Amino acid sequence: MASISIHQPQYLPWHNYFKKMKKADIFIILDSVDFQKNGLQNRNQIKTSNGVNWLTVPVLRKKGQKIYETKIDNRNDWIKKHWKALEQSYNKSPFFNEFKNIFREVYSKKWNNLSDLNITLIKIIREILGIKNEIYLSSNLKI
């Protein structure tokens, strides 16, 4: 019998997200539910030399929109700000240089859809961690 785990696509998810993913034979990214304002779908905390800092991806929101429908508000240069914060906070961390170029590539693109950004980051981290289970998007399951 296969084990299945499901979770919403978070922005830069914490390690327990990937522990949950690794324990399952099949992992479903739950992108077909309503976007939650002030949730972790478009923001997360990082540690900095000055304490905790929130990184928030600005989004265009309307009531009842699904996560996979959520568009990013690119009127300000949030990408540059996020990459600078990550680089400054983690450039002396073990393994940062090993993976820096992979993440710099993500932060060098213009993203229009929140789900696309989050799923790209999740898949990159999943690969780095060597997680090999099957992965599906709930929006593609037609249920």
Side-chain angles (χ1 to χ4, degrees), residues 34-46:
D34 288 354
F35 173 82
Q36 296 174 339
K37 182 180 179 187
N38 298 325
L40 296 178
Q41 297 157 354
N42 71 313
R43 62 191 211 135
N44 218 327
Q45 294 179 328
I46 63 169

Side-chain angles (χ1 to χ4, degrees), residues 38-105:
N38 298 325
L40 296 178
Q41 297 157 354
N42 71 313
R43 62 191 211 135
N44 218 327
Q45 294 179 328
I46 63 169
K47 288 184 180 181
T48 72
S49 59
N50 297 323
V52 172
N53 183 28
W54 280 99
L55 295 181
T56 302
V57 178
V59 296
L60 302 169
R61 245 181 21 91
K62 58 186 174 197
K63 187 175 180 167
Q65 81 184 14
K66 306 301 179 201
I67 297 170
Y68 72 87
E69 299 170 325
T70 303
K71 301 295 181 199
I72 295 174
D73 183 353
N74 283 305
R75 289 180 285 185
N76 66 37
D77 200 1
W78 68 270
I79 294 172
K80 186 176 183 179
K81 177 185 169 192
H82 286 213
W83 176 247
K84 184 177 178 183
L86 289 166
E87 192 172 38
Q88 287 177 344
S89 297
Y90 298 109
N91 66 355
K92 293 182 181 163
S93 299
F95 306 107
F96 182 79
N97 283 332
E98 186 176 342
F99 302 108
K100 177 167 75 173
N101 290 335
I102 295 168
F103 289 99
R104 184 187 337 220
E105 187 175 327

Side-chain angles (χ1 to χ4, degrees), residues 14-30:
W14 67 317
H15 71 280
N16 281 343
Y17 188 98
F18 296 99
K19 285 172 73 174
K20 179 179 182 178
M21 180 186 285
K22 187 173 183 160
K23 288 181 181 180
D25 298 312
I26 298 169
F27 187 79
I28 299 171
I29 295 178
L30 185 62

